[in-house]
């Protein structure tokens, strides 16, 4: 205890362990290869390595290298132009070995059938999502994240659909299905319906977001539970993380979902045969597909497995929120316009040689400084933490991951303290013009960003719109400034993230204490940066390069002099 | 005034050089909004290499050796597409078909890049800078002319008595040329098309020089540059009328059907134009010893065989069209560019430069393969019409529409091609909105211009017959 009670030493030791990266459990590659080959698959391996931008403390990894093993079951009835994937991501421990067992059993069973018209790839990846990313990049022959991997020796045509399997025990009480992928992408709703049909057929209990399906929609409980599930989905989609290795397949336009076996204290348990049957059913159905699933079922929100909210219902909500910004901008524009006309009229009387009212020029010129400064802050927020981690670790007693997170917070807070406007003398006739023009620009900027985000990832757009729009519409340098400032701080992107974490745990019925919440917040920041660098998640750049500078503009409006 | 211009040039070149060096350059040069089949750098190489059976390849052998060395042809292109988008996505990606005819670049441009291929980045930066400088000096001269004319009319008491606030002052006109250069060089559209090495930048330079020489009053040079611009992209043909009108005005020749001087000068100018066009075309012929490039380039522009999505109005319409009706509708669509010239010439014969601005905008909107580079050219003229600002009615809404659409292009493209959750209709809807926004913006400017002219002669505070304040209605 004595050795590790000192935080600096403890961190040093943790870093040493991370650097050594001694895996406690490695994928038994040779055994897997042998077994897959004995089942009758074409077996290939792929090795990959990746140095993360900074140590990942949640997964305890830094310099990752591993091997993916995959076997291809060649379809007897067709040329290898299309394929399906069953994947089992293995982490740094043996928690998912039951899933590997089920995968092998399914492979042996599928091998005996003659009706396959699409090749089936059985993929076991090491280091869960990193392995999946490496395999997918190599399969499609792209390199988008700086992964180093050996090229694939065998391929099986365009992947039509993929199912990821995670089982932690050999009996399950229910299957949980995860759909949210990277950057909030969703698989086709038909794939989910397929899964639900087979679960019903096999009598399997399935859950969404860890919540049971409400049976009774007539009483108040059912819709309430649906709402909880819906909110959980919104939060998870907004996070833009791949929740399961299926999330990475979606980027390559492969319909995919993750099934998680849950073993709770429920009395009735299913063995893996039931899970296997459901999977077999799904694969046989997918095998029959003649073309891609229809394009119109990608935009949905799920309150329950059997119900969905379509885009036509939820998009107007976001639309109305953005309309607030648009109308507010229009109002400001009219006010500015009127002020200008009002200025011109007394000035126009003396004679023809009256110069153009300088207000317009000053208004525009005074905008350049705050815009540039806040955008530069955003750029610093994006670039500096990862770039400066080594400097930080040399001068302060912190580990790299902590350095990154603390730098993030420091820059974020420093942005608030910077004097943004250069205190240019605004004409005394219209002292309001400066901040009004700035707010006009900021409102349009915010509306544009939120609109684009809502189109690609509705949940994120909506979450940010509900928090940012009221404060943004209210911000002005008069009136109860402290109140406005408090409101703005509470709705800043970082505060939204913190609030979402609390809400998320509250909905999962595992409320957080403040200290835990703070820890989780720091971990989430580090994960956000890491996921941007390792998988190409866009939340971090969006917040740092887009929304944070925009939010700073409102902050600037509030403290306009 | 040269110092600020130099500063703007330095900033612009720095931004471009930084972008050329960044990883964004590749991404930008693939954007359909920025490069069209007609202006794409890559496509130019590719097509040129692919059509290696054509005679002119033997003549330009060295060029193609170079091309084949660094760009091994169509299959490599197809493969790079494949790697860029993944096998499964390729099914949805509208792959450009291997060309059936000669590459749509004019022979002179290919010949030019025969020498300059290694300095392409520099060439595109220089063309942008030249365009800006040409526009700068052109507008500087134009402003002098406008001011003189205004002074003359004031002295002649042509203006209504209460229009003092409409009179333009040297103070407000002083920075206009600089603003024009600024608008052109730092417009994101121009920067994007420069970084994508879209040959649209070269067309813009030619048009800018045509404007400069016209305003300077050199009929011969003006005809040559107009011929070059026409040779490059055909549509600048319509700029002949405003060019002629300006030169006539400059020489104080009234535009009257009965005036002899008018017909003589028009004939001279037309002959200079046609003559230089013939010389250029013949030069191309001697370069290739074949006429194949005429159907290949101008046929490509007029018959719109390549339906790769762009920001224009053609691609979706003709992708949906039955082959049978295609010819008729191509004619209808193409007429749009040329159709407005005559009414505009009648209405704006006293204001040829404004006419030129409107005509350039019409070309940018209705041409068959428009890119954002074309839009940038007419946007550079906005500062010239600063004095119309108070008469513009929807400038705020229209600016917002254009900005929103510019941002939504890549988003909806992503949803269509990569995420698969949207389809081509979404992208086309944005194209439509963008073009409607541009059309409304241009008509807003047109209306504002007419209104100002009306107020100048009739007085600012009009009263209707019953004594109430009157409103002008455009009919």
């Amino acid at each position: 205890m004595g050795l590790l009670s000192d935080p600096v030493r403890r961190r040093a030791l943790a870093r040493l362990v991370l650097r050594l990266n001694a895996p406690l459990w490695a994928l038994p590659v040779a055994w897997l290869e042998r077994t897959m080959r004995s089942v009758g698959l074409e077996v290939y391996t792929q090795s990959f390595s990746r140095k993360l931008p900074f140590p990942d403390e949640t997964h305890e990894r830094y310099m990752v290298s591993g091997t993916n093993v995959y076997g291809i079951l060649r379809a007897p009835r067709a040329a290898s132009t299309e394929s399906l994937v069953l994947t089992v991501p293995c982490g740094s421990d043996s928690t998912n070995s039951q899933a590997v067992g089920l995968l092998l059993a399914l492979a042996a069973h599928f091998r005996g059938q003659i009706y396959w018209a699409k090749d089936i790839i059985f993929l076991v990846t090491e280091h869960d999502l990193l392995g999946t990313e490496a395999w997918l990049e190599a399969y499609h022959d792209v390199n988008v994240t700086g992964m180093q991997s050996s090229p694939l020796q065998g391929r099986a045509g365009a992947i039509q659909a993929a199912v990821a399997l995670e089982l932690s025990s050999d009996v399950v009480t229910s299957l949980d299905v995860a759909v949210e992928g990277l950057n909030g992408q969703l698989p086709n709703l038909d794939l989910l319906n397929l899964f639900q049909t087979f679960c019903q057929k096999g009598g399997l209990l399935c859950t969404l977001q860890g919540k049971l399906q409400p049976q009774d929609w007539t009483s108040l409980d059912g819709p309430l539970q649906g709402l909880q599930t819906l909110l959980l989905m919104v939060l998870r989609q907004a996070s833009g993380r791949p929740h399961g290795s299926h999330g990475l397949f979606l980027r390559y336009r492969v319909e995919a979902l993750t099934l998680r076996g849950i073993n709770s204290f429920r009395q009735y348990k299913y063995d893996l045969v039931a899970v296997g049957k459901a999977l077999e059913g799904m694969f046989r159905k997918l095998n029959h597909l003649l073309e891609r699933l229809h394009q119109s079922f990608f935009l949905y929100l799920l309150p329950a497995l059997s119900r969905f909210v379509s885009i036509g219902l939820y998009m107007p909500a976001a639309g109305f929120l953005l309309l607030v910004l648009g109308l507010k901008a229009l109002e400001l524009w009219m006010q500015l316009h009127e002020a200008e006309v009002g200025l011109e009229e007394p000035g126009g009387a003396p004679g023809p040689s009256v110069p153009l009212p300088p207000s317009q020029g000053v208004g525009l010129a005074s905008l350049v400084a705050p815009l540039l400064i806040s955008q530069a802050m955003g750029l610093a927020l994006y670039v500096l933490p990862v770039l400066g981690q080594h400097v930080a670790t040399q001068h302060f007693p912190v580990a790299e991951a902590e350095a990154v997170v603390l730098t993030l917070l420091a820059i974020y807070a420093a942005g608030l303290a910077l004097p943004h406007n250069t205190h240019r003398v605004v004409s005394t006739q219209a002292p309001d013009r400066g901040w009004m023009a700035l707010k006009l620009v900021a409102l349009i900027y915010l509306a544009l960003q939120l609109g684009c985000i809502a189109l690609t990832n509705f949940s994120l757009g909506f979450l940010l719109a509900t928090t940012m729009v009221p404060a943004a519409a209210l911000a002005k340098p008069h009136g109860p400034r402290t109140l406005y400032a408090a409101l703005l701080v509470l709705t800043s992107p970082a505060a939204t993230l913190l609030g979402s974490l609390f809400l998320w745990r509250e909905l999962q019925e595992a409320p957080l204490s403040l200290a835990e919440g703070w820890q989780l917040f720091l971990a989430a920041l580090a994960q956000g940066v890491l996921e941007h660098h390792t998988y190409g998640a866009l939340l971090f750049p969006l917040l740092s390069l887009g929304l944070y500078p925009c939010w700073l503009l409102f902050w600037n409006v509030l403290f306009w002099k | 005034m040269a110092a600020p211009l130099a500063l703007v040039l330095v900033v612009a070149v720095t931004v471009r050089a930084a972008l050329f060096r960044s990883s964004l350059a590749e991404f930008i040069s693939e954007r359909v909004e920025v490069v069209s089949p007609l202006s794409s750098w890559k496509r130019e190489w590719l097509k040129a290499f692919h059509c290696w059976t054509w005679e002119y390849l033997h003549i330009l052998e060295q060029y193609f050796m170079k091309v084949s060395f660094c760009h091994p042809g169509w299959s490599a292109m197809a493969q790079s597409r494949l790697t860029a988008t993944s096998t499964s996505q390729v099914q949805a990606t509208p792959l450009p078909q291997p060309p059936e005819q000669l590459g749509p670049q004019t022979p002179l441009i290919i010949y030019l890049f025969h020498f300059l291929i290694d300095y392409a980045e520099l060439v595109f930066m220089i063309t942008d800078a030249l365009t800006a400088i040409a526009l700068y000096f052109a507008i500087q001269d134009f402003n002098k002319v406008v001011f003189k004319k205004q002074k003359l009319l004031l002295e002649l008491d042509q203006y209504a008595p209460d229009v003092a606030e409409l009179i333009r002052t040297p103070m407000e006109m002083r920075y206009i040329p600089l603003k024009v250069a600024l608008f052109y060089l730092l417009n994101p559209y121009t920067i994007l098309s420069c970084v994508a090495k879209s040959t649209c930048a070269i067309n813009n330079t030619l048009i800018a020089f045509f404007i400069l020489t016209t305003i300077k009053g050199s009929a011969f040079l003006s005809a040559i540059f107009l011929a070059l611009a026409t040779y490059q992209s055909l549509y600048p043909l319509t700029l002949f009328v405003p060019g002629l009108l300006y030169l006539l005005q400059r020489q104080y020749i009234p535009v009257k059907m009965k005036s002899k001087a008018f017909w003589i000068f028009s004939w001279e100018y037309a002959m200079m134009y046609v003559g230089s066009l013939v010389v250029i075309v013949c030069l191309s012929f001697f370069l290739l010893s074949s006429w194949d490039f005429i159907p290949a380039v101008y046929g490509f522009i007029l018959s719109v065989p390549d339906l790769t999505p762009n920001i224009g109005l053609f691609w979706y319409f003709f992708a949906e069209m039955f082959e049978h009706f295609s010819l008729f509708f191509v004619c209808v669509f193409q007429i749009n560019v040329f159709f407005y010239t005559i009414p505009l010439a009648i209405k704006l014969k006293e204001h040829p430069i404004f006419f030129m601005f409107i005509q350039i905008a019409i070309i940018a909107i209705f041409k068959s393969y428009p890119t954002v580079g074309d839009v940038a050219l007419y946007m550079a003229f906005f500062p010239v019409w600063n004095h119309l600002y108070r008469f513009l009615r929807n400038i705020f809404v229209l600016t917002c529409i254009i900005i929103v659409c510019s941002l939504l292009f890549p988003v909806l493209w992503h949803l269509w091609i990569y995420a698969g959750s949207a389809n081509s209709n979404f992208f086309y809807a944005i194209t439509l909105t963008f073009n409607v926004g541009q059309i409304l913006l241009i008509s807003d400017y047109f209306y504002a211009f007419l209104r100002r002219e009306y107020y100048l002669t009739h007085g600012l505070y009009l009263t209707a017959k019953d004594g109430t304040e009157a409103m002008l209605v455009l009919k």
Side-chain angles (χ1 to χ4, degrees):
Chain A
M1 281 304 283
L3 179 72
L4 291 181
S5 58
D6 178 11
V8 180
R9 280 186 191 166
R10 197 172 63 220
R11 276 183 213 122
L13 187 67
R15 216 180 311 160
L16 188 70
V17 171
L18 278 174
R19 279 277 160 76
L20 289 172
N21 197 29
L24 301 170
W25 183 89
L27 198 67
V29 175
W31 179 83
L32 261 178
E33 256 187 289
R34 219 170 39 241
T35 320
M36 279 190 178
R37 199 160 283 139
S38 72
V39 167
L41 306 180
E42 269 182 54
V43 187
Y44 304 97
T45 57
Q46 180 215 13
S47 55
F48 63 92
S49 66
R50 173 85 165 93
K51 184 177 172 232
L52 302 181
F54 57 91
D56 181 357
E57 292 197 334
T58 339
H59 297 99
E60 295 187 346
R61 56 192 181 193
Y62 181 41
M63 293 206 257
V64 182
S65 65
T67 313
N68 296 325
V69 183
Y70 65 104
I72 302 175
L73 169 63
R74 295 286 174 194
R77 300 176 71 98
S80 298
T81 53
E82 291 179 337
S83 59
L84 305 170
V85 172
L86 177 63
T87 171
V88 171
C90 291
S92 52
D93 48 12
S94 58
T95 47
N96 213 5
S97 44
Q98 271 82 8
V100 178
L102 183 57
L103 174 130
L104 290 173
L106 275 175
H109 174 65
F110 285 3
R111 182 75 182 85
Q113 312 304 321
I114 52 151
Y115 43 67
W116 298 114
K118 292 179 170 61
D119 290 358
I120 300 175
I121 303 175
F122 296 92
L123 168 68
V124 181
T125 61
E126 204 173 353
H127 298 292
D128 44 45
L129 269 70
L130 281 176
T132 316
E133 179 66 36
W135 188 81
L136 278 169
E137 286 188 8
Y139 194 89
H140 296 108
D141 204 8
V142 288
N143 193 342
V144 285
T145 58
M147 183 81 70
Q148 283 149 354
S149 61
S150 59
L152 294 191
Q153 301 299 322
R155 281 195 175 76
I159 305 173
Q160 301 294 304
V163 176
L165 192 63
E166 291 176 18
L167 296 172
S168 50
S169 64
D170 50 4
V171 285
V172 296
T173 53
S174 60
L175 275 181
D176 188 51
V177 55
V179 285
E180 303 86 358
L182 188 69
N183 295 328
Q185 257 188 291
L186 296 174
N188 198 303
L189 190 57
D190 280 338
L191 192 68
L192 195 75
N193 292 339
L194 191 67
F195 165 72
Q196 204 226 345
T197 315
F198 278 99
C199 280
Q200 275 182 347
K201 214 169 183 178
L204 272 170
L205 190 65
C206 35
T207 59
L208 187 66
Q209 319 287 355
K211 301 261 177 204
L212 280 176
Q213 300 309 298
Q215 300 300 323
D216 179 19
W217 286 91
T218 49
S219 74
L220 194 62
D221 282 348
L224 262 184
Q225 205 182 343
L227 184 68
Q228 276 187 353
T229 319
L230 186 77
L231 277 176
L232 274 171
M233 172 163 179
V234 166
L235 288 177
R236 281 173 81 167
Q237 198 190 358
S239 76
R241 315 178 49 177
H243 289 272
S245 63
H246 75 282
L248 299 173
F249 281 87
L250 293 173
R251 183 192 328 185
Y252 299 90
R253 212 158 160 188
V254 175
E255 310 311 328
L257 42 78
T258 291
L259 304 182
R260 285 199 182 89
I262 307 287
N263 191 12
S264 66
F265 301 110
R266 206 169 268 280
Q267 277 206 330
Y268 193 81
K269 295 188 194 279
Y270 307 92
D271 58 2
L272 291 188
V273 177
V275 182
K277 272 183 182 165
L279 278 173
E280 191 207 354
M282 283 179 74
F283 271 87
R284 285 186 66 171
K285 277 281 181 203
L286 290 171
N287 180 46
H288 293 156
L289 275 184
L290 289 180
E291 51 184 294
R292 290 187 163 276
L293 295 170
H294 190 262
Q295 62 184 5
S296 54
F297 298 110
F298 287 98
L299 306 161
Y300 53 85
L301 292 174
L302 294 170
L305 268 176
S306 51
R307 282 159 192 258
F308 75 98
V309 184
S310 99
I311 181 170
L313 283 171
Y314 64 67
M315 212 57 189
F320 282 123
L321 275 172
L322 295 186
L323 194 67
V324 173
L325 295 179
L327 289 178
K328 194 77 192 167
L330 199 62
E331 187 203 346
L332 277 175
W333 171 261
M334 311 261 273
Q335 282 175 0
L336 279 173
H337 207 70
E338 273 165 25
E340 196 167 290
V341 172
L343 269 181
E344 257 176 28
E345 270 168 4
S353 62
V354 170
L356 185 80
S359 45
Q360 192 189 350
V362 171
L364 285 180
S366 63
L367 290 187
V368 176
L371 277 174
L372 278 184
I373 292 176
S374 53
Q375 210 58 46
M377 280 312 288
L379 196 65
L381 191 66
Y382 176 68
V383 177
L384 282 186
V386 175
L387 212 62
Q389 52 170 324
H390 299 296
V391 182
T393 43
Q394 275 164 16
H395 296 285
F396 302 99
V398 286
E400 276 99 340
E402 278 176 321
V404 170
V405 173
L406 295 179
T407 325
L408 264 181
L409 288 175
I411 297 177
Y412 194 93
L416 307 189
L418 268 186
H420 291 300
N421 51 350
T422 42
H423 301 292
R424 184 180 275 271
V425 184
V426 184
S427 68
T428 45
Q429 283 174 310
D432 282 348
R433 291 185 58 86
W435 73 263
M436 278 159 102
L438 183 63
K439 190 177 169 187
L440 176 67
V441 171
L443 281 172
I444 294 173
Y445 190 26
L446 183 65
L448 278 176
Q449 289 188 43
L450 290 179
C452 290
I453 294 173
L455 276 178
T456 46
N457 181 354
F458 171 77
S459 299
L460 180 61
F462 185 73
L463 198 69
L464 288 170
T466 41
T467 50
M468 289 183 83
V469 166
L474 284 176
K476 61 178 172 189
H478 311 302
R481 251 196 210 189
T482 356
L483 186 70
Y484 288 149
L487 191 63
L488 254 185
V489 169
L490 279 180
T491 56
S492 83
T496 310
L497 176 61
L498 189 62
S500 315
L501 284 174
F502 278 104
L503 180 63
W504 178 54
R505 290 299 283 265
E506 190 66 42
L507 287 169
Q508 283 198 326
E509 286 152 19
L512 283 170
S513 71
L514 273 180
E516 279 174 329
W518 182 250
Q519 286 303 322
L520 203 63
F521 174 65
L522 296 184
L525 287 181
Q527 284 298 307
V529 180
L530 260 183
E531 271 161 14
H532 170 58
H533 288 281
T534 45
Y535 310 126
L538 288 177
L539 184 66
F540 174 55
L542 263 182
L543 289 186
S544 59
L545 292 176
L547 284 158
Y548 173 65
C550 185
W551 182 85
L552 277 184
L553 288 182
F554 287 108
W555 185 255
N556 197 7
V557 167
L558 190 62
F559 292 100
W560 188 270
K561 283 180 185 154
Chain B
M1 283 302 278
L5 180 66
L7 187 70
V8 170
L9 282 175
V10 167
V11 171
V13 168
T14 317
V15 169
R16 283 164 172 77
L19 276 174
F20 270 127
R21 294 280 165 274
S22 77
S23 54
L24 285 173
E26 177 105 1
F27 171 75
I28 292 170
S29 60
E30 305 243 316
R31 303 295 320 161
V32 289
E33 301 89 349
V34 183
V35 291
S36 70
L38 204 58
S39 67
S40 163
W41 180 245
K42 261 195 178 161
R43 196 74 74 88
E44 184 184 325
W45 283 14
L46 185 78
K47 293 212 167 173
F49 178 67
H50 194 76
C51 318
W52 53 285
T53 47
W54 264 269
E55 278 175 329
Y56 81 100
L57 298 196
H58 299 300
I59 299 162
L60 303 178
E61 201 169 2
Q62 198 186 344
Y63 167 62
F64 294 106
M65 290 286 286
K66 213 172 260 177
V67 170
S68 59
F69 181 67
C70 46
H71 211 91
W74 169 250
S75 58
M77 173 67 176
Q79 207 165 18
S80 75
R81 274 269 177 160
L82 215 87
T83 52
T85 52
S86 92
T87 41
S88 49
Q89 279 164 26
V90 156
Q91 294 170 346
T93 313
L95 270 177
Q97 292 302 308
E100 311 244 299
Q101 75 268 51
L102 208 62
Q105 284 297 333
T106 50
L108 283 186
I109 275 286
I110 295 181
Y111 190 68
L112 180 73
F113 277 106
H114 170 202
F115 300 106
L116 296 175
I117 196 156
D118 295 330
Y119 313 103
E121 293 178 2
L122 210 60
V123 169
F124 280 100
M125 284 197 267
I126 291 172
T127 46
D128 266 11
L130 281 180
T131 314
I133 293 170
L135 287 176
Y136 178 87
F137 287 113
I139 299 306
Q140 208 171 30
D141 254 41
F142 172 63
N143 273 346
K144 278 179 202 154
V145 173
V146 166
F147 193 67
K148 256 188 223 159
K149 191 175 159 193
Q150 179 180 288
K151 209 168 152 190
L152 184 74
L153 288 175
L154 269 178
E155 279 163 7
L156 292 176
D157 256 346
Q158 295 280 315
Y159 288 152
D162 61 345
V163 291
E165 36 187 302
L166 292 186
I167 301 296
R168 306 178 65 193
T169 58
M171 266 297 280
E172 61 164 283
M173 284 162 76
R174 191 171 167 215
Y175 289 105
I176 286 177
L178 189 67
K179 278 186 195 164
V180 169
L182 195 78
F183 258 58
Y184 187 75
L185 280 176
L186 295 184
N187 189 337
Y189 291 157
T190 327
I191 296 176
L192 286 179
S193 65
C194 175
V195 173
K197 297 180 196 158
S198 157
T199 46
C200 164
I202 296 173
N203 303 352
N204 284 355
T205 312
L206 291 176
I207 295 178
F209 271 97
F210 158 67
I211 296 171
L212 175 66
T213 46
T214 311
I215 288 178
K216 291 275 183 196
S218 157
F220 181 60
L221 280 177
S222 147
I224 288 180
F225 278 113
L226 185 60
L228 275 172
T230 314
Y231 170 77
Q232 266 297 58
S233 61
L234 192 66
Y235 292 113
L237 174 71
T238 49
L239 296 180
F240 177 81
V241 187
L244 175 67
L245 284 175
Y246 189 84
L247 288 170
L248 283 170
Q249 203 181 59
R250 217 187 129 86
Q251 315 221 344
Y252 305 107
I253 301 172
V255 185
K256 276 182 194 152
M257 291 300 141
K258 285 175 188 164
S259 149
K260 202 175 169 193
F262 165 70
W263 285 111
I264 290 175
F265 187 81
S266 304
W267 177 250
E268 272 175 18
Y269 189 60
M271 275 303 106
M272 279 190 272
Y273 171 60
V274 173
S276 29
L277 201 59
V278 167
V279 168
I280 298 165
V281 170
C282 286
L283 210 62
S284 313
F285 172 75
F286 292 128
L287 207 60
L288 306 179
S289 48
S290 129
W291 292 110
D292 281 346
F293 71 93
I294 292 200
V297 177
Y298 305 112
F300 190 82
I301 293 174
L302 286 176
S303 67
V304 205
D306 190 316
L307 300 178
T308 313
N310 56 31
I311 59 166
L313 299 162
F314 280 71
W315 64 273
Y316 187 86
F317 195 77
F318 287 100
E320 299 282 309
M321 171 80 57
F322 289 120
E323 200 66 23
H324 183 65
F325 303 110
S326 166
L327 180 66
F328 173 69
F329 280 100
V330 163
C331 294
V332 171
F333 270 59
Q334 295 286 10
I335 276 178
N336 259 319
V337 182
F338 305 98
F339 181 70
Y340 301 107
T341 313
I342 299 161
L344 282 174
I346 294 167
K347 190 78 200 168
L348 294 174
K349 79 180 171 196
E350 297 297 317
H351 312 282
I353 296 298
F354 188 74
F355 178 18
M356 207 177 276
F357 159 71
I358 298 273
Q359 190 61 51
I360 290 173
I362 286 175
I363 292 175
I365 297 168
F366 291 112
K367 73 189 278 193
S368 46
Y369 304 101
T371 61
V372 290
D374 299 306
V375 178
L377 182 63
Y378 80 78
M379 282 193 168
F381 281 91
F382 285 159
V384 183
W385 319 117
N386 256 349
H387 55 286
L388 302 180
Y389 176 72
R390 54 181 293 166
F391 298 115
L392 293 175
R393 288 172 306 176
N394 303 320
I395 181 79
F396 176 65
V397 177
L398 293 175
T399 316
C400 284
I401 285 182
I402 287 181
I403 296 174
V404 167
C405 288
S406 313
L407 276 181
L408 284 184
F409 277 130
V411 170
L412 290 175
W413 180 263
H414 171 84
L415 288 184
W416 171 24
I417 298 297
Y418 294 98
S421 51
N423 55 31
S424 56
N425 298 326
F426 289 61
F427 188 74
Y428 185 60
I430 287 304
T431 339
L432 267 186
T433 323
F434 185 66
N435 283 306
V436 168
Q438 287 188 84
I439 291 169
L440 289 178
L441 189 65
I442 293 311
S443 37
D444 211 6
Y445 265 95
F446 182 63
Y447 180 43
F449 191 84
L450 292 186
R451 244 173 84 179
R452 182 172 178 276
E453 289 305 313
Y454 187 84
Y455 281 136
L456 276 178
T457 45
H458 293 83
L460 191 54
Y461 301 104
L462 297 173
T463 46
K465 277 172 193 156
D466 53 353
T468 54
E469 205 172 311
M471 284 284 286
L472 277 188
V473 182
L474 185 72
K475 279 187 181 168

